[in-house]
């Protein structure tokens, strides 16, 4: 592979033009490998899925921290919608917060692995997005507000669509 790179740097421009027109790679991929090589560009869908995972993960952690800070300061009453949601999760707020933070960490890891074009990251993103879509159904069994789950369903559907459409570009 290094020899090919050296050859390419010493080759004439006309030789490189011929190679480019034929579509011949400078370095031969491993035989029998169907995985995309490192030189192939990442699909836009995977980049968007990775960015969505990272943004939603960091926003989830930040919002959980903000709710805790507002609760500890006693200024949670300034936001009526947030007060209602926290009060309706009374007794379950800690479990809900741990769930949000756990899901956020999974999404951050999945986003990083998707940026590295790993199928494991794609599987993590699909797992997290499936949980985001299924959680509202589970929340119907327990009296809880539905507002927090609506955003999760939207993000989950978007992640499923993006990850599955760009799956073949993952290695």
């Amino acid at each position: 592979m290094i020899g090919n790179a050296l050859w390419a740097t010493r080759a004439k421009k006309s030789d490189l033009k011929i190679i480019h027109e034929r579509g011949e790679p400078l370095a031969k991929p491993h035989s029998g490998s169907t995985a995309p090589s490192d030189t192939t560009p990442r699909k836009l869908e995977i980049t968007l899925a990775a960015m969505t995972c990272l943004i939603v993960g960091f926003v989830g952690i930040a919002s959980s921290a903000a709710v805790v800070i507002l609760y500890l300061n006693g200024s949670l009453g300034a936001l009526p919608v947030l007060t209602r949601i926290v009060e309706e999760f009374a007794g379950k707020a800690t479990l809900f917060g741990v769930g949000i933070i756990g899901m956020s960490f999974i999404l951050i890891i999945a986003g990083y692995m998707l940026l590295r074009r790993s199928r494991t990251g794609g599987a993590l993103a699909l797992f997290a997005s499936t949980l985001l879509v299924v959680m509202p159904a589970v929340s119907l069994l327990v009296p809880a507000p539905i507002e927090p789950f609506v955003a999760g369903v939207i993000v989950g559907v978007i992640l499923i669509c993006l990850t599955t459409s760009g799956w073949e570009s993952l290695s």
Side-chain angles (χ1 to χ4, degrees):
M1 201 156 161
I2 293 173
N4 286 338
L6 288 174
W7 177 82
T9 58
R10 292 183 185 156
K12 298 176 190 174
K13 286 186 178 182
S14 61
D15 293 339
L16 290 176
K17 186 176 179 182
I18 292 170
I19 291 171
H20 179 67
E21 288 172 354
R22 288 187 196 165
E24 296 175 4
L26 292 177
K28 294 181 181 178
H30 300 291
S31 60
S33 175
T34 59
S37 67
D38 289 340
T39 59
T40 57
R42 181 177 34 246
K43 288 187 96 173
L44 178 62
E45 293 89 352
I46 294 301
T47 304
L48 290 173
M51 290 299 123
T52 303
C53 286
L54 290 171
I55 290 169
V56 170
F58 284 121
V59 166
I61 290 174
S63 64
S64 294
V67 168
V68 168
I69 290 171
L70 287 173
Y71 182 75
L72 292 176
N73 286 340
S75 58
L76 193 61
L79 302 169
V81 174
L82 191 59
T83 304
R84 186 179 64 79
I85 290 172
V86 171
E87 286 175 357
E88 286 189 29
F89 274 110
K92 300 175 279 286
T94 304
L95 180 63
F96 181 67
V98 169
I100 289 175
I101 291 173
M103 182 66 69
S104 298
F105 279 126
I106 290 173
L107 286 169
I108 290 170
I109 293 168
Y112 171 74
M113 294 177 84
L114 280 173
L115 283 176
R116 300 197 35 108
R117 295 189 309 171
S118 168
R119 285 198 181 209
T120 306
L124 272 175
L126 288 174
F127 171 73
S129 57
T130 302
L131 283 178
L132 288 171
V133 171
V134 172
M135 286 307 289
V138 174
S139 73
L140 294 176
L141 301 174
V142 180
I146 197 71
E147 292 92 352
F149 299 109
V150 173
V153 169
I154 294 169
V155 169
V157 170
I158 290 170
L159 276 177
I160 288 172
C161 293
L162 290 173
T163 306
T164 54
S165 66
W167 183 263
E168 69 275 356
S169 71
L170 298 175
S171 57

